[in-house]
Amino acid sequence: MVADAALCAGWDEVCFFDDAWPALERNDEWPVVGDFARMLRQEGTDFDAAVVGIGRNEVRLAKMAALKDAGIPLTSVIHPASVVSRYASISEGCVIFGGAIVNVRAALGDGCIINTGATVDHDCRLAEGVHISPGANLAGNVTVGKGSWVGIGACVRQGITIGRNVMVGAGAAVVSSRMM
């Protein structure tokens, strides 16, 4: 999905680095040109920037940190069928899929995924590595902590704070924050 979104957004070329290489030479339509270690050494291909297309939040963040340490620039992918306010803040390594909406003054930390048809309303704050699943909806002024996952079709009421590494279940309605 990330490769397709990148091409829809106007990228000229997409290739993959996957630890299953060299046994895995293709990922569907796209070539696999090396493993992660090869990417960190920047061997075998010339690329301008990278985005980590791994759904597991902690793995995505670890790979992003290794890429930064290696001096490899990170980029974000924003599908042209999404709606992102010009007043939203999108950090490095984010992916926003088709049909997603990110409204005014929303701020996405590094490596966030806003999946198909998800909405992030005004003044929301998403820390690094947050994943908002397809069809999930965050009302205004929601804060989501680092590494948290909001499940498919979940709804979060305005003003709620969700902590670090929290899993909000599919279809959940989050209507209050429990402070610890």
Side-chain angles (χ1 to χ4, degrees):
M1 287 182 59
V2 174
D4 180 64
L7 291 171
C8 288
W11 288 29
D12 294 327
E13 186 178 351
V14 172
C15 66
F16 281 79
F17 289 85
D18 191 305
D19 287 339
W21 177 86
L24 179 67
E25 295 179 349
R26 297 198 66 71
N27 185 347
D28 295 319
E29 305 298 318
W30 301 282
V32 177
V33 297
D35 59 15
F36 191 66
R38 189 172 193 205
M39 182 179 194
L40 292 176
R41 293 189 307 269
Q42 301 181 45
E43 293 177 5
T45 190
D46 183 32
F47 54 90
D48 298 321
V51 64
V52 180
I54 296 174
R56 288 191 57 199
N57 297 342
E58 68 277 2
V59 174
R60 185 171 63 261
L61 288 173
K63 300 273 187 192
M64 287 176 57
L67 290 168
K68 284 183 183 181
D69 288 347
I72 296 172
L74 296 172
T75 191
S76 292
V77 173
I78 301 174
H79 194 286
S82 65
V83 176
V84 178
S85 170
R86 69 174 131 183
Y87 302 108
S89 172
I90 311 299
S91 296
E92 292 182 319
C94 290
V95 179
I96 302 173
F97 289 110
I101 299 172
V102 179
N103 273 322
V104 64
R105 293 183 309 276
L108 279 57
D110 290 349
C112 287
I113 296 174
I114 310 302
N115 222 311
T116 309
T119 61
V120 177
D121 215 337
H122 66 88
D123 299 296
C124 287
R125 300 283 178 258
L126 280 59
E128 307 85 44
V130 169
H131 186 152
I132 308 299
S133 295
N137 297 289
L138 306 184
N141 198 32
V142 169
T143 300
V144 183
K146 181 177 180 177
S148 289
W149 191 306
V150 178
I152 190 168
C155 295
V156 182
R157 184 184 59 79
Q158 72 276 3
I160 296 291
T161 296
I162 296 170
R164 289 176 66 126
N165 301 313
V166 171
M167 169 79 73
V168 174
V174 180
V175 297
S176 68
S177 295
R178 186 172 130 202
M179 302 305 287
M180 300 184 112

